Amino acid sequence: MSTQKQHSRARRLLAAGAAVLTLSAGLAPQQAVAADGDKVLTVAVAQSVDSLSPFLAARLLSTSIHRLMYEYLTNYDPGDARAVPALATEWKSSPDKLTWTYTIRSDSKWSDGQQATAEDAAWTFNKMMTDEAAATANGSFVANFRKVTAPSPTELVIELKKPQATMTALDVPIVPKHVWEKVGDFSKFNNDKDFPVVGNGPFVLTDYKPDSYVRLKANKDFWRGAPKFDELVFRYYKDQDAAVAALRKGEVSFVAGAPALTPAQAASLKGEKNIHVNDAPGRRFYALAVNPGAKARNGQKIGDGHPSLLDQRVRHALFTAVDRKTIIDKVFQGYAVQGEGYIPPRFSSYFWKPADGQELAYDPAKAGQLLDQAGYKKNGDGKRVGKDGKPINYRILCHATDSNDKAIGQYLQEWWGELGIGVTLNCLDNVSDPWLAGTYDLAFDGWSVNPDPDFVLSIHTCGALPATPKDTGATDNFICDKRYDDLYAKQLAEYDPAKRADIVKQMESRLYDLGYMNVMAYPNAVEAYRTDQIKSITTMPAKAGNIYGQDGYWSWWSATPADSDGSSDDSGSTGVVIGVVAGAAVLVGAGVFFALRRRATAEDRE
């Protein structure tokens, strides 16, 4: 769905929750101190919250906030993304890999004072296994679970139907049973009415106002150590230039972009006093998605996608008429890498390139030939005509706040116009409604990918489709292909990292050949912060990595105020983070040494 949607997941029709951030009073320039003396870190974002329920949220902002609110069983080292302890201190599998036992730490408390236990984790997973609404966001992780129990407060046991390679990469927020067991309808509960929200992460959600702000307070009792900033605020800016202006004035500490700063914005900030621009390889892909003839699992049609797009030759023709080099040079102006496979090159183990003769390289003449072969020839006016005798005109969903969508859309109008195909850009603040309804022909798409790609692979399986047209599934783009599904099941059960990576690459090849997803670019993570407000902050990866939208909470947990006395700076450094968790590597056990994990969300779809 969205290009501002990192990491990830079932999309929800929660337009009313489109929200996030503004403080009622702006921060004074060159300081981040509230009236009560608390040190405040303010992050300007260009994405709204879809839901504050970890069972429903799909957008990158929402899932990033959940990483701050709730612990997962494991986390990922900011240096190399290997699995490290979080709520679980160690884990091991049975010889047949069908039973996994996790030791739950005894020093993690919920913010209301109650102890976090294995029973909380068991209840979380069991709820997802038995309540379809609770499985909306992360159901793919538990689909293979046979049984989950908590024999003691510090022991969690998960029994599987068949081996599952993501057992050290279960990106599921663990919630407090004593709070959530009171919830009735999980499909409607958004976790945004009673504050503070009970959690056990590094921050506690204390306030939220749709289209205004999200406010979190540092959890002074967090087992890994309290954050250095007393308060973390996410402030929403629909106008990204206004967010950049706020950074210049010191009204915000950090600007994330939508999801990245534009080349012009980044260039304007470089060299400015007290501002640092972080430009690193990104974990996102930027794509054009084709409506594949949207339907539900029961076979019923959804929406009104153009019937010509059911022909693979037409899809290949469209992508062959896309000049990726021009997109990188003219739109991203070098702040991106040319797109190829589904997984960005940052994740080298899974990065795939099309073979010779397979690539849909820019070739307008070939595109025209493919359309002719498919029976869509030009009329006397030079327009390609559909089977109904009418000129073909494709509707493309784009995000109103994303300048890349609009710029590339104009190129598509030009390139496809030369083929005789019309293009109508449908740029909306909320693309979710037409997307879920299947009332589009193509759409700009993007996800944040995790070191373990399982989640972003799962959203193209047949099982991710909605059960009926009235339901909401976990699908990204209504893709359903048996060969792809067979490969997905095969990679999920493969524990050998090299063999699993090879299967994932076969999946990427299949997805490429189907022609439903055209990955045009891998945008850089381009973001900026004030060095007179933030003294130090951890990137992920530690060398040339991103700050916003990490696969963990390292950036905001480690951030040190500029006026800090330095007495506790080291605990926010990458070196100490690794030191705290280094012992985990020997605990992975059973020969499972992957840097696994997943979004999306990805933390998700942005």
Side-chain angles (χ1 to χ4, degrees):
M1 183 185 322
S2 79
T3 321
Q4 34 181 91
K5 161 180 112 33
Q6 123 161 252
H7 300 142
S8 180
R9 277 188 181 206
R11 282 163 296 162
R12 299 270 318 156
L13 282 173
L14 296 169
V20 100
L21 350 345
T22 33
L23 287 172
S24 54
L27 298 174
Q30 299 188 5
Q31 68 178 33
V33 181
D36 58 4
D38 281 353
K39 296 175 181 178
V40 183
L41 196 167
T42 305
V43 178
V45 296
Q47 185 182 59
S48 59
V49 167
D50 54 350
S51 177
L52 287 173
S53 164
F55 297 97
L56 302 179
R59 294 182 180 173
L60 178 62
L61 174 64
S62 308
T63 56
S64 295
I65 289 172
H66 290 140
R67 281 193 174 277
L68 301 173
M69 295 169 59
Y70 304 105
E71 276 282 40
Y72 296 25
L73 288 181
T74 60
N75 207 325
Y76 307 95
D77 188 278
D80 59 12
R82 74 179 186 273
V84 296
L87 185 61
T89 60
E90 58 183 342
W91 44 89
K92 62 183 179 180
S93 74
S94 59
D96 62 4
K97 305 292 194 299
L98 293 178
T99 301
W100 284 76
T101 303
Y102 301 81
T103 300
I104 303 302
R105 65 176 57 257
S106 58
D107 57 349
S108 178
K109 290 186 180 248
W110 299 110
S111 52
D112 62 0
Q114 293 202 34
Q115 180 70 39
T117 69
E119 182 60 31
D120 295 304
W123 185 90
T124 299
F125 291 126
N126 278 304
K127 187 65 180 177
M128 294 167 60
M129 294 164 62
T130 57
D131 186 327
E132 188 172 346
T136 298
N138 294 304
S140 63
F141 286 113
V142 301
N144 182 45
F145 286 13
R146 182 186 301 280
K147 185 179 181 182
V148 182
T149 56
S152 77
T154 58
E155 184 180 6
L156 175 73
V157 179
I158 300 178
E159 298 176 31
L160 305 173
K161 300 172 186 175
K162 56 186 178 182
Q164 179 170 325
T166 60
M167 296 307 289
T168 57
L170 298 174
D171 284 350
V172 176
I174 304 302
V175 302
K177 174 186 176 182
H178 65 281
V179 174
W180 283 83
E181 65 183 353
K182 300 172 186 176
V183 175
D185 188 344
F186 272 64
S187 69
K188 297 179 180 177
F189 182 73
N190 285 314
N191 198 29
D192 59 359
K193 295 293 185 288
D194 298 321
F195 300 101
V197 176
V198 178
N200 64 339
F203 289 89
V204 177
L205 179 63
T206 58
D207 199 9
Y208 163 70
K209 184 177 180 181
D211 299 311
S212 186
Y213 61 81
V214 173
R215 191 190 308 270
L216 303 102
K217 288 277 191 181
N219 180 359
K220 302 298 184 183
D221 298 319
F222 184 50
W223 69 270
R224 201 186 290 277
K228 311 301 184 302
F229 278 91
D230 301 297
E231 187 172 78
L232 175 63
V233 177
F234 292 95
R235 181 188 295 185
Y236 175 67
Y237 285 86
K238 183 176 180 180
D239 183 340
Q240 190 165 309
D241 285 332
V244 171
L247 182 75
R248 280 195 172 91
K249 291 186 274 187
E251 294 172 351
V252 300
S253 316
F254 180 98
V255 172
L261 296 176
T262 67
Q265 290 166 342
S268 72
L269 290 173
K270 284 184 176 178
E272 284 216 9
K273 184 180 179 182
N274 298 324
I275 291 180
H276 174 73
V277 176
N278 184 48
D279 177 13
R283 54 182 283 236
R284 295 179 46 75
F285 65 78
Y286 182 87
L288 193 61
V290 175
N291 186 330
K295 61 179 63 176
R297 288 203 303 271
N298 65 3
Q300 286 185 270
K301 182 181 177 181
I302 297 175
D304 58 359
H306 200 287
S308 65
L309 295 173
L310 298 178
D311 193 317
Q312 185 184 46
R313 292 169 296 185
V314 173
R315 302 192 296 270
H316 281 192
L318 295 178
F319 294 165
T320 303
V322 172
D323 186 351
R324 293 174 180 78
K325 186 176 187 303
T326 291
I327 289 174
I328 299 301
D329 293 344
K330 302 298 184 182
V331 178
F332 289 98
Q333 297 180 33
Y335 288 94
V337 176
Q338 188 167 313
E340 294 177 295
Y342 189 62
I343 308 297
R346 170 163 153 178
F347 307 109
S348 57
S349 295
Y350 299 105
F351 179 58
W352 170 88
K353 292 183 178 183
D356 291 342
Q358 182 182 17
E359 183 182 3
L360 299 174
Y362 181 55
D363 189 339
K366 183 178 179 179
Q369 293 170 4
L370 286 170
L371 290 171
D372 288 340
Q373 293 169 13
Y376 297 98
K377 298 186 177 182
K378 291 182 179 181
N379 62 15
D381 296 326
K383 306 294 185 183
R384 298 278 174 179
V385 178
K387 304 299 184 183
D388 58 2
K390 297 179 181 179
I392 296 176
N393 186 85
Y394 293 135
R395 304 158 298 167
I396 302 182
L397 278 177
C398 80
H399 303 81
T401 57
D402 194 321
S403 59
N404 292 330
D405 284 8
K406 296 175 183 177
I408 295 172
Q410 291 177 357
Y411 276 112
L412 294 178
Q413 288 176 326
E414 175 187 337
W415 294 330
W416 293 355
E418 293 175 356
L419 294 175
I421 291 175
V423 171
T424 298
L425 292 178
N426 190 15
C427 297
L428 306 171
D429 288 333
N430 170 31
V431 301
S432 293
D433 289 358
W435 195 300
L436 292 169
T439 54
Y440 67 99
D441 299 319
L442 299 102
F444 290 106
D445 196 6
W447 282 87
S448 293
V449 179
N450 299 26
D452 185 283
D454 179 73
F455 179 79
V456 291
L457 297 173
S458 75
I459 57 180
H460 295 309
T461 59
C462 298
L465 295 174
T468 73
K470 295 182 179 179
D471 296 310
T472 298
T475 185
D476 173 52
N477 194 47
F478 299 100
I479 294 173
C480 177
D481 177 72
K482 185 179 186 304
R483 191 187 308 178
Y484 180 90
D485 274 21
D486 290 344
L487 288 169
Y488 175 77
K490 191 176 178 181
Q491 67 82 29
L492 186 61
E494 180 56 69
Y495 279 83
D496 182 280
K499 291 180 180 178
R500 183 169 181 241
D502 181 66
I503 300 170
V504 169
K505 290 176 183 178
Q506 293 178 49
M507 296 177 69
E508 293 183 77
S509 179
R510 178 61 178 169
L511 199 58
Y512 187 91
D513 288 342
L514 286 171
Y516 293 125
M517 294 287 293
N518 177 26
V519 176
M520 298 180 288
Y522 309 114
N524 290 6
V526 187
E527 50 203 359
Y529 64 90
R530 293 198 64 93
T531 55
D532 55 357
Q533 293 187 15
I534 301 174
K535 180 179 181 180
S536 63
I537 193 165
T538 298
T539 61
M540 185 175 185
K543 296 180 180 179
N546 56 292
I547 295 172
Y548 177 74
Q550 291 183 358
D551 303 304
Y553 43 63
W554 307 116
S555 55
W556 312 128
W557 173 75
S558 71
T560 303
D563 61 355
S564 170
D565 59 12
S567 60
S568 58
D569 285 359
D570 287 346
S571 64
S573 70
T574 300
V576 173
V577 169
I578 293 174
V580 170
V581 298
V586 299
L587 301 174
V588 177
V592 185
F593 290 90
F594 342 120
L596 296 184
R597 109 156 199 287
R598 160 232 44 129
R599 124 267 245 255
T601 296
E603 272 25 312
D604 346 318
R605 150 135 29 214
E606 319 90 3

